[in-house]
Amino acid sequence: MKILIVEDEKDFADSISQYLSDENYRCETANDFRTALDKIMMYQYDCILLDIMLPGGDGLKLLQEIQRLKKEDGVIIISAKDSLQDKIKGLQNGADDYLAKPFHLPELAARIYSVIRRKQFANNDLIHQNEITIGLQGKTVKVNGKEIALTKKEFDLLLYFVSNKNKVISKNALAEHLSGDFAEMMNSYDFVYAHIKNLKKKLTDAGYGNYLKTMYGTGYKWDI
Amino acid sequence: MTRLLNHSMSKMLIYAGIVLAVSIPVYYFAISFLWHYELNEHRIILTDAANREDRLFIIVTVTSLTVLFFALMLTGFIILNKKVSERIWQPFYQSLEKIKKFKLTDNEPVLFDNSGISEFNELNQSLQKLIAGNITSFKQQKEFAENASHELQTPLAIVQSKLDLILQTHSLTPEQYDIVEDALTALSRVTRINKNLLILTKIENNQYTETEQVNLSDLLEDTLSDFAPFISERQLTAEKKIDPDIHIEASRTLLEILINNLISNAIRHSKPDCQIFIHLAGKHFSIANTGDNSLDTEQLFRRFASASKHTPGTGLGLSIVDQICKHSAWVVKYNYHHNLHIFSVDF
């Protein structure tokens, strides 16, 4: 999978690239408008991460260019702007998702994963991971062909882990992911642990390969 | 309190009264002197009775004429004073009216008309300069806050991403991992404070001007169901009495933030096994949670008044509520009654 990171902060682009670069993703970066435009015109990417505030031009213009060229690349806007209007404007211009800075890298990986799934596997919404089969549309999970019933949050968590396989995920990132706008409510992380405990129990009962590991006491890793 | 012109007029009237009163004996002596001179000239001798009668006649005539002129002067002064004060002081009252209407948050400079009178023009010019200076510094302050918040997002994102990356290194010890987690916790707090500061400056910068008809009842129910997991997690019960289909004209974003902040506030500051009361009747909303002591109403809505490292709150929630209410001309109140902290908003 090829990812283009359009971001003027080189440090930040490097972090993203370093996190995503494994056997699945190959990342390229563009630090300004011109380079980004050239790369978009010349190559095909599975997903473009687009900072809309760029030196040399408005990132939204790149988005319009992608639309004009009828390119199939998925686009996720990563922006320091967080207002509803900015989000709506980005999505109306053809972006597939919008993520406000700062965000956790696992969150970004999860968004990329789901954008690529939506774009390229439109007809096949099943994710296979060894004995686990996840149906995105119907939100169904099967282990060894046997369906298990997960709550919305547990299903969400499972997808989050699957799209961040072999990465250590902090309780902070999980809390942020689970609580979203209500992060201020997090007096403790009990909320996070409760959901993970339930998910793990259901998967273990169904006999999965025990991929969900606790790391260093408070972190987690989908080890596959 | 007397008006400026009445002040000078009463002094003038007293002076005119004294002059006229003094003029009565002067007129009397002058007229009786002339009268006796004429009588002597024509060798007319009057009886004592006639003499007394004449003297009385002169006194009455002089006094009544003086009183008549004084009355004329009085009414003339009052009418003139009114006219003059309306005319001369008109530019002053116009300027006064403009300054009264001026609000720093409106971001509009005050323009004074040319009054044609140099004193007032000078006053207006000075006022205009003063106000323009105020507007500029207010603008700069707002811009600074907004830019600073925006500019902080990127470095925050970089730090957060680097910490996420450290966690991926293989040789991490549990101690090192804990340090990173602690750093991430602090970082997410900074991020939230930054976001809230940005919301505050945006409200002050009037960036939420679009309003629409919002079904407040539905919004409340939806928000409460979003919060349901947190309410049950803390073993709280929500007692709600929400009238259906209450519509208000408001900025949806701001209304959502307001409701969110008030509910989250009530949940966060409740002890386990307590109740939260939520009422919406007409355009009156109130939310109450139990608490042992009344809060300091002076400090309550101030920024960072409640911030401490022991709570995950940003210390900005209530000042955002206050700011939203000011912006939307709603009234927010805090009361402590029967061990309940009650926040109410009149839309």
PDB file of all heavy atoms in Angstrom, chain A residues 98-118:
ATOM      1  N   TYR A  98     -11.419  13.288   8.184  1.00  0.00           N
ATOM      2  CA  TYR A  98     -10.823  14.534   8.677  1.00  0.00           C
ATOM      3  C   TYR A  98     -10.324  14.286  10.085  1.00  0.00           C
ATOM      4  O   TYR A  98     -11.080  13.834  10.935  1.00  0.00           O
ATOM      5  CB  TYR A  98     -11.889  15.625   8.684  1.00  0.00           C
ATOM      6  CG  TYR A  98     -11.357  17.031   8.896  1.00  0.00           C
ATOM      7  CD1 TYR A  98     -11.358  17.957   7.863  1.00  0.00           C
ATOM      8  CD2 TYR A  98     -10.877  17.433  10.137  1.00  0.00           C
ATOM      9  CE1 TYR A  98     -10.883  19.240   8.042  1.00  0.00           C
ATOM     10  CE2 TYR A  98     -10.398  18.720  10.322  1.00  0.00           C
ATOM     11  CZ  TYR A  98     -10.409  19.624   9.280  1.00  0.00           C
ATOM     12  OH  TYR A  98      -9.938  20.888   9.465  1.00  0.00           O
ATOM     13  N   LEU A  99      -9.060  14.533  10.313  1.00  0.00           N
ATOM     14  CA  LEU A  99      -8.495  14.289  11.627  1.00  0.00           C
ATOM     15  C   LEU A  99      -7.801  15.570  12.103  1.00  0.00           C
ATOM     16  O   LEU A  99      -6.953  16.108  11.412  1.00  0.00           O
ATOM     17  CB  LEU A  99      -7.486  13.139  11.515  1.00  0.00           C
ATOM     18  CG  LEU A  99      -7.058  12.403  12.783  1.00  0.00           C
ATOM     19  CD1 LEU A  99      -8.255  11.926  13.578  1.00  0.00           C
ATOM     20  CD2 LEU A  99      -6.171  11.211  12.419  1.00  0.00           C
ATOM     21  N   ALA A 100      -8.227  16.043  13.279  1.00  0.00           N
ATOM     22  CA  ALA A 100      -7.655  17.297  13.778  1.00  0.00           C
ATOM     23  C   ALA A 100      -6.401  17.020  14.593  1.00  0.00           C
ATOM     24  O   ALA A 100      -6.357  16.092  15.394  1.00  0.00           O
ATOM     25  CB  ALA A 100      -8.681  18.036  14.626  1.00  0.00           C
ATOM     26  N   LYS A 101      -5.381  17.835  14.371  1.00  0.00           N
ATOM     27  CA  LYS A 101      -4.144  17.723  15.149  1.00  0.00           C
ATOM     28  C   LYS A 101      -4.385  18.272  16.543  1.00  0.00           C
ATOM     29  O   LYS A 101      -5.121  19.243  16.678  1.00  0.00           O
ATOM     30  CB  LYS A 101      -3.041  18.562  14.489  1.00  0.00           C
ATOM     31  CG  LYS A 101      -2.469  17.969  13.234  1.00  0.00           C
ATOM     32  CD  LYS A 101      -1.360  18.917  12.778  1.00  0.00           C
ATOM     33  CE  LYS A 101      -1.043  18.724  11.311  1.00  0.00           C
ATOM     34  NZ  LYS A 101      -0.137  19.766  10.820  1.00  0.00           N
ATOM     35  N   PRO A 102      -3.744  17.783  17.560  1.00  0.00           N
ATOM     36  CA  PRO A 102      -2.889  16.600  17.541  1.00  0.00           C
ATOM     37  C   PRO A 102      -3.724  15.320  17.660  1.00  0.00           C
ATOM     38  O   PRO A 102      -4.807  15.339  18.230  1.00  0.00           O
ATOM     39  CB  PRO A 102      -2.040  16.794  18.790  1.00  0.00           C
ATOM     40  CG  PRO A 102      -2.863  17.641  19.707  1.00  0.00           C
ATOM     41  CD  PRO A 102      -3.799  18.439  18.863  1.00  0.00           C
ATOM     42  N   PHE A 103      -3.188  14.260  17.119  1.00  0.00           N
ATOM     43  CA  PHE A 103      -3.873  12.965  17.223  1.00  0.00           C
ATOM     44  C   PHE A 103      -2.830  11.900  17.531  1.00  0.00           C
ATOM     45  O   PHE A 103      -1.625  12.114  17.345  1.00  0.00           O
ATOM     46  CB  PHE A 103      -4.607  12.633  15.923  1.00  0.00           C
ATOM     47  CG  PHE A 103      -3.781  12.845  14.685  1.00  0.00           C
ATOM     48  CD1 PHE A 103      -2.808  11.921  14.317  1.00  0.00           C
ATOM     49  CD2 PHE A 103      -3.961  13.961  13.885  1.00  0.00           C
ATOM     50  CE1 PHE A 103      -2.029  12.107  13.188  1.00  0.00           C
ATOM     51  CE2 PHE A 103      -3.179  14.165  12.740  1.00  0.00           C
ATOM     52  CZ  PHE A 103      -2.216  13.232  12.400  1.00  0.00           C
ATOM     53  N   HIS A 104      -3.311  10.758  17.998  1.00  0.00           N
ATOM     54  CA  HIS A 104      -2.393   9.645  18.248  1.00  0.00           C
ATOM     55  C   HIS A 104      -2.142   8.907  16.939  1.00  0.00           C
ATOM     56  O   HIS A 104      -3.063   8.725  16.138  1.00  0.00           O
ATOM     57  CB  HIS A 104      -3.005   8.681  19.261  1.00  0.00           C
ATOM     58  CG  HIS A 104      -2.824   9.140  20.674  1.00  0.00           C
ATOM     59  ND1 HIS A 104      -1.611   9.086  21.306  1.00  0.00           N
ATOM     60  CD2 HIS A 104      -3.690   9.652  21.565  1.00  0.00           C
ATOM     61  CE1 HIS A 104      -1.745   9.546  22.539  1.00  0.00           C
ATOM     62  NE2 HIS A 104      -3.003   9.902  22.724  1.00  0.00           N
ATOM     63  N   LEU A 105      -0.929   8.465  16.739  1.00  0.00           N
ATOM     64  CA  LEU A 105      -0.614   7.740  15.500  1.00  0.00           C
ATOM     65  C   LEU A 105      -1.483   6.497  15.303  1.00  0.00           C
ATOM     66  O   LEU A 105      -1.910   6.231  14.183  1.00  0.00           O
ATOM     67  CB  LEU A 105       0.883   7.394  15.454  1.00  0.00           C
ATOM     68  CG  LEU A 105       1.805   8.612  15.335  1.00  0.00           C
ATOM     69  CD1 LEU A 105       3.270   8.189  15.362  1.00  0.00           C
ATOM     70  CD2 LEU A 105       1.521   9.401  14.058  1.00  0.00           C
ATOM     71  N   PRO A 106      -1.772   5.734  16.369  1.00  0.00           N
ATOM     72  CA  PRO A 106      -2.681   4.595  16.155  1.00  0.00           C
ATOM     73  C   PRO A 106      -4.047   5.021  15.629  1.00  0.00           C
ATOM     74  O   PRO A 106      -4.658   4.311  14.825  1.00  0.00           O
ATOM     75  CB  PRO A 106      -2.812   3.987  17.553  1.00  0.00           C
ATOM     76  CG  PRO A 106      -1.597   4.407  18.288  1.00  0.00           C
ATOM     77  CD  PRO A 106      -1.217   5.746  17.734  1.00  0.00           C
ATOM     78  N   GLU A 107      -4.501   6.205  16.053  1.00  0.00           N
ATOM     79  CA  GLU A 107      -5.785   6.706  15.550  1.00  0.00           C
ATOM     80  C   GLU A 107      -5.700   6.939  14.044  1.00  0.00           C
ATOM     81  O   GLU A 107      -6.589   6.552  13.283  1.00  0.00           O
ATOM     82  CB  GLU A 107      -6.140   8.008  16.280  1.00  0.00           C
ATOM     83  CG  GLU A 107      -7.490   8.615  15.909  1.00  0.00           C
ATOM     84  CD  GLU A 107      -8.663   7.754  16.329  1.00  0.00           C
ATOM     85  OE1 GLU A 107      -8.616   7.208  17.449  1.00  0.00           O
ATOM     86  OE2 GLU A 107      -9.612   7.598  15.542  1.00  0.00           O
ATOM     87  N   LEU A 108      -4.588   7.546  13.624  1.00  0.00           N
ATOM     88  CA  LEU A 108      -4.389   7.794  12.200  1.00  0.00           C
ATOM     89  C   LEU A 108      -4.345   6.481  11.432  1.00  0.00           C
ATOM     90  O   LEU A 108      -4.992   6.336  10.382  1.00  0.00           O
ATOM     91  CB  LEU A 108      -3.086   8.573  11.977  1.00  0.00           C
ATOM     92  CG  LEU A 108      -2.708   8.864  10.535  1.00  0.00           C
ATOM     93  CD1 LEU A 108      -3.692   9.845   9.908  1.00  0.00           C
ATOM     94  CD2 LEU A 108      -1.287   9.402  10.415  1.00  0.00           C
ATOM     95  N   ALA A 109      -3.615   5.507  11.983  1.00  0.00           N
ATOM     96  CA  ALA A 109      -3.505   4.211  11.307  1.00  0.00           C
ATOM     97  C   ALA A 109      -4.882   3.571  11.140  1.00  0.00           C
ATOM     98  O   ALA A 109      -5.193   3.001  10.097  1.00  0.00           O
ATOM     99  CB  ALA A 109      -2.572   3.295  12.100  1.00  0.00           C
ATOM    100  N   ALA A 110      -5.722   3.699  12.175  1.00  0.00           N
ATOM    101  CA  ALA A 110      -7.063   3.123  12.107  1.00  0.00           C
ATOM    102  C   ALA A 110      -7.891   3.806  11.021  1.00  0.00           C
ATOM    103  O   ALA A 110      -8.613   3.155  10.266  1.00  0.00           O
ATOM    104  CB  ALA A 110      -7.755   3.237  13.461  1.00  0.00           C
ATOM    105  N   ARG A 111      -7.756   5.137  10.924  1.00  0.00           N
ATOM    106  CA  ARG A 111      -8.513   5.872   9.895  1.00  0.00           C
ATOM    107  C   ARG A 111      -8.031   5.483   8.494  1.00  0.00           C
ATOM    108  O   ARG A 111      -8.833   5.298   7.584  1.00  0.00           O
ATOM    109  CB  ARG A 111      -8.345   7.380  10.077  1.00  0.00           C
ATOM    110  CG  ARG A 111      -8.703   7.921  11.436  1.00  0.00           C
ATOM    111  CD  ARG A 111     -10.197   8.031  11.617  1.00  0.00           C
ATOM    112  NE  ARG A 111     -10.509   8.657  12.889  1.00  0.00           N
ATOM    113  CZ  ARG A 111     -10.963   9.897  13.027  1.00  0.00           C
ATOM    114  NH1 ARG A 111     -11.181  10.630  11.956  1.00  0.00           N
ATOM    115  NH2 ARG A 111     -11.213  10.388  14.215  1.00  0.00           N
ATOM    116  N   ILE A 112      -6.706   5.387   8.327  1.00  0.00           N
ATOM    117  CA  ILE A 112      -6.162   5.011   7.020  1.00  0.00           C
ATOM    118  C   ILE A 112      -6.684   3.632   6.620  1.00  0.00           C
ATOM    119  O   ILE A 112      -7.149   3.418   5.507  1.00  0.00           O
ATOM    120  CB  ILE A 112      -4.612   4.988   7.055  1.00  0.00           C
ATOM    121  CG1 ILE A 112      -4.065   6.396   7.271  1.00  0.00           C
ATOM    122  CG2 ILE A 112      -4.041   4.400   5.765  1.00  0.00           C
ATOM    123  CD1 ILE A 112      -2.557   6.434   7.488  1.00  0.00           C
ATOM    124  N   TYR A 113      -6.636   2.740   7.585  1.00  0.00           N
ATOM    125  CA  TYR A 113      -7.080   1.375   7.339  1.00  0.00           C
ATOM    126  C   TYR A 113      -8.519   1.362   6.836  1.00  0.00           C
ATOM    127  O   TYR A 113      -8.837   0.713   5.836  1.00  0.00           O
ATOM    128  CB  TYR A 113      -6.961   0.578   8.646  1.00  0.00           C
ATOM    129  CG  TYR A 113      -7.175  -0.902   8.512  1.00  0.00           C
ATOM    130  CD1 TYR A 113      -6.139  -1.735   8.099  1.00  0.00           C
ATOM    131  CD2 TYR A 113      -8.403  -1.479   8.816  1.00  0.00           C
ATOM    132  CE1 TYR A 113      -6.315  -3.101   7.984  1.00  0.00           C
ATOM    133  CE2 TYR A 113      -8.601  -2.841   8.710  1.00  0.00           C
ATOM    134  CZ  TYR A 113      -7.546  -3.651   8.294  1.00  0.00           C
ATOM    135  OH  TYR A 113      -7.739  -5.005   8.188  1.00  0.00           O
ATOM    136  N   SER A 114      -9.371   2.124   7.512  1.00  0.00           N
ATOM    137  CA  SER A 114     -10.774   2.041   7.126  1.00  0.00           C
ATOM    138  C   SER A 114     -11.046   2.784   5.810  1.00  0.00           C
ATOM    139  O   SER A 114     -11.894   2.364   5.027  1.00  0.00           O
ATOM    140  CB  SER A 114     -11.686   2.517   8.257  1.00  0.00           C
ATOM    141  OG  SER A 114     -11.925   3.886   8.150  1.00  0.00           O
ATOM    142  N   VAL A 115     -10.286   3.845   5.538  1.00  0.00           N
ATOM    143  CA  VAL A 115     -10.466   4.535   4.251  1.00  0.00           C
ATOM    144  C   VAL A 115     -10.051   3.619   3.103  1.00  0.00           C
ATOM    145  O   VAL A 115     -10.756   3.494   2.098  1.00  0.00           O
ATOM    146  CB  VAL A 115      -9.660   5.861   4.212  1.00  0.00           C
ATOM    147  CG1 VAL A 115      -9.504   6.367   2.779  1.00  0.00           C
ATOM    148  CG2 VAL A 115     -10.339   6.922   5.054  1.00  0.00           C
ATOM    149  N   ILE A 116      -8.912   2.949   3.256  1.00  0.00           N
ATOM    150  CA  ILE A 116      -8.461   2.049   2.199  1.00  0.00           C
ATOM    151  C   ILE A 116      -9.441   0.891   2.009  1.00  0.00           C
ATOM    152  O   ILE A 116      -9.763   0.511   0.885  1.00  0.00           O
ATOM    153  CB  ILE A 116      -7.025   1.539   2.495  1.00  0.00           C
ATOM    154  CG1 ILE A 116      -6.049   2.716   2.410  1.00  0.00           C
ATOM    155  CG2 ILE A 116      -6.614   0.451   1.514  1.00  0.00           C
ATOM    156  CD1 ILE A 116      -4.613   2.374   2.729  1.00  0.00           C
ATOM    157  N   ARG A 117      -9.940   0.387   3.114  1.00  0.00           N
ATOM    158  CA  ARG A 117     -10.933  -0.691   3.018  1.00  0.00           C
ATOM    159  C   ARG A 117     -12.154  -0.234   2.219  1.00  0.00           C
ATOM    160  O   ARG A 117     -12.630  -0.918   1.322  1.00  0.00           O
ATOM    161  CB  ARG A 117     -11.420  -1.130   4.418  1.00  0.00           C
ATOM    162  CG  ARG A 117     -10.442  -1.860   5.280  1.00  0.00           C
ATOM    163  CD  ARG A 117     -10.022  -3.188   4.766  1.00  0.00           C
ATOM    164  NE  ARG A 117     -11.092  -4.058   4.301  1.00  0.00           N
ATOM    165  CZ  ARG A 117     -10.908  -5.319   3.950  1.00  0.00           C
ATOM    166  NH1 ARG A 117      -9.705  -5.861   4.012  1.00  0.00           N
ATOM    167  NH2 ARG A 117     -11.914  -6.058   3.528  1.00  0.00           N
ATOM    168  N   ARG A 118     -12.637   0.962   2.583  1.00  0.00           N
ATOM    169  CA  ARG A 118     -13.836   1.475   1.918  1.00  0.00           C
ATOM    170  C   ARG A 118     -13.600   1.695   0.435  1.00  0.00           C
ATOM    171  O   ARG A 118     -14.444   1.394  -0.398  1.00  0.00           O
ATOM    172  CB  ARG A 118     -14.237   2.822   2.543  1.00  0.00           C
ATOM    173  CG  ARG A 118     -15.170   2.693   3.719  1.00  0.00           C
ATOM    174  CD  ARG A 118     -16.082   3.907   3.831  1.00  0.00           C
ATOM    175  NE  ARG A 118     -15.397   5.181   3.816  1.00  0.00           N
ATOM    176  CZ  ARG A 118     -14.928   5.787   4.906  1.00  0.00           C
ATOM    177  NH1 ARG A 118     -15.063   5.214   6.085  1.00  0.00           N
ATOM    178  NH2 ARG A 118     -14.333   6.962   4.815  1.00  0.00           N
TER     179      ARG A 118
END
